[in-house]
Amino acid sequence: MTTTKTTCPYCGVGCGVLATKIGDGKVSVKGDPEHPANFGKLCSKGLTLAETLVPQGRLTYPMIANERVSWDAAIARVAEKFATTIRDHGPDSVAFYVSGQLLTEDYYVANKLMKGFIGSANIDTNSRLCMASAVAGHKRAFGADIVPCNYEDLEEADLVVLVGSNLAWCHPILFQRLQAAREKRGTKLVVIDPRRTASAEGADLFLGITSGSDVALFNGLLRQLYLRGEFDPAFVFSHTSGLSEALLASREWTTEGVAAATGLKQTDVEAFYALFAAHEKIVTAFSMGVNQSASGTDKVNAIINCHLLTGRIGKAGAGPFSITGQPNAMGGREVGGMANMLAAHMDIANPVHRDAVQKFWASPHIPEKEGLKAVDMFQAVGEDKIKALWIMGTNPAVSLPDSGSIAAALKRCDFVVVSDVMAQTETTQYAHVLLPAQGWGEKDGTVTNSERRISRQRSFLAPEGEARPDWKIICDIAEAMGFDGFGYEGPAEIFAEHVGLSEVQNNGTRLLNLEDWKGQDFEALMPTQWGGRRPFVDGIFQTHDGRARFVPTLFKPVTIDEGKYTLNTGRIRDQWHTMTRTGLVPKLFSHRAEPYIEISPAAATSLGLHPADLAEISGEHGKSIARILITQTVRDGDVFQPMHWTSQFASQALANGNTSPAVDPFSGQPALKSSAVSIAKKAIAWHGCGIALGPLELLTCYWAKAPLLEGFAFECADEKFPADWLAFSGSLMSLEASEISTVLTGDQASFRCVARKNGKLIFAFFASAQPVEVSRAWLHQQLGSDVQSVQVLSGRPAAGVLDHGPIICSCNGVGRNLIKRAVYDTHGATLSAICEKTNAGMGCGSCRPEVQRIITEISATRIAAE
Ligand code: SF4
């Protein structure tokens, strides 16, 4: 058995993974105890990585017009079409849309090809959706895109402020590190978010602000800190500039004004300001809730301003900390994989930098102006300004805002190339040429995590079919276009060139200098941070005068028309992006198996919505359907919809069908968290749910499906009853049954059907006029078992057997009812005691905040009753 040290391909925490081949082509995966990001721990997604290493759904050979072709033919076709488009329409008529899933070496050569040889800056990335506002904010304040913190700072801080970051679900291992530190040293936690997320469970202060009002809150903090004299005059005097202008922009933000703008109680605003003033070691960690906004860059700078004023930067346990979404968004930034960057933290607008990069690459061109950022790029595709587009490792027809217009643009584009791991995505259907890329476990290179740590992603599997590494595909096409400088032997050579470029024209002017990596054995690279342990420790920033800049920031309220709701989109605990990988793992659907939308009780009442109804969510351009989840965790005017579901898993669930293409003016990052939508109850005659062995083809009605260990679970609904329930059920069954049992009520409005074959349950279907009350978790476990039909028809376990209820802990399959019973049985038990008793939270630990929430709810009910 050989074990390979590699890195998790999901989020920006960048956890180290040990992958071991255990025979029969199987792989086991566990956390790398030596990796400084995770010290051996992995979240639910990382722990199930081995289950994604299957051939199912892979793109295994190149295709032109849906016909299999050789690599030579595909490369020749792409090279010829890009070359003729450039010849006929100029370099800006082509574009690359790349991905934070790419390795740094892939990004490096893609950027080199587009900017250095094609001569356009039309290369942008899905990282634009993730952290472009943080990049723009860093550059405005520090003069360069530098994240000043380390993960240890979260453990060394006395106060951690999470802003627009559901760390508990989106970066679970970092949240666990924070929670461990809180238990050990009593770190205070403030959570600022329009939603009371799992991260807010147990926080010292939760500020449920109005969507988009962060700038008002932090401008008010800046003003208060200054007025109270709670700042560091020596630091401000010696290391910053622009305070007066920032204070001027903040002058109107009294605590009363802040309370009015943010929708918070004035006492809560004051409590936050007092906490910030009282602690020296403060980390303000922020993510998509800050970045994905029409004023995302100002939000970032409003946060940074407060750290500059107090000198809480460049010190242990202190600083503004952008936590990146994607595994290699940071690596892409380092090599200039965005339309407004050059490479190695050099600037397109700087002629010295342009000259230096061009000489280093020995390239014929270098663009003098920025290229098109993601949203503008697809608009240009739709307007026929971009005529040849290459999409690498991403699914923009799902993930970009106003996804309907993205699909329309792709449909009309002259020439679309998609290189991807998966064959069927919303985007691959528009490709004229499909190129199979290697996936995690096959490809080889480096990634950089949120704390600037470069780690190796190593290959331990043979590629599936004819899949090739992205860097190789790009270089082959560059050479076929007649360009020199792309004849690399492998990723080590590309990484060495990246190291070399980081030193060019540097002389200490750019912190991104990888000279320490020079001459190192690529195979043996250990996870190492660039920029040293403590950027800005000397108070020297990368502006021309070495001073950090205060930036005056402007509060722009999100305005939503009367009668509409503010749609907040985001991630859930156990899924990743558009489910192309996590969608292969049954366990990861056990927590949330169907597209849903969270709405407050008051809003639900006013719309006549009841729990588990279906709702139509209508944006300016599109519409989706989701199950209603009524919860106190969202504000009355807001709704929250996860962004993961695609047409592979549900009939009409694209959250981004409803989102607006509005962007931040500085970063170009879309405002994915504040679109205006209408919500209406969907008229439904019947709701259904079921399980089926074998393939499941659903229907013309509403449906959602989730994989089980064998077969699928499904939900469905329709506006009219089928003419014949038995025939309808039969249309869902792909295996022939030897025994079918049914129950039909006299009014034909409720139907249950159970089918077995050779004594095993192969199918069950339940339908009724109301949302079906069947124990899903129990039902899903019965598929393929010898359970009696009569028991299945009842829709729940036998009398005396506890129905565990909806799954909370997906690692160990522990349901809500079991946890509740444990809490009732053990009055006053701690979280750890309940976890030990029920086994919830004893796997990856990501569900612990939800277990805590159940304990808190029951305790509150008890206190109210007493
Ligand atoms: Fe992967 Fe989870 Fe670690 Fe993120 S926190 S890198 S998803 S294991």
Side-chain angles (χ1 to χ4, degrees), residues 8 10-15 41-43 45-46 170-174:
C8 175
Y10 292 125
C11 84
V13 179
C15 295
K41 300 200 85 174
L42 293 176
C43 76
K45 298 180 283 285
C170 301
H171 303 94
I173 296 303
L174 266 193

Side-chain angles (χ1 to χ4, degrees), residues 13 75 100 113 121 191 201 203 254 371 388 467 495 644 698 749 790:
V13 179
I75 287 165
L113 171 57
V191 175
E201 203 51 54
T254 60
F495 184 77
H644 306 287
L698 283 154
V790 66

Side-chain angles (χ1 to χ4, degrees), residues 221-232:
L221 175 60
L222 188 80
R223 178 181 178 273
Q224 279 299 316
L225 291 168
Y226 184 77
L227 289 179
R228 291 180 195 171
E230 303 275 7
F231 65 101
D232 183 341

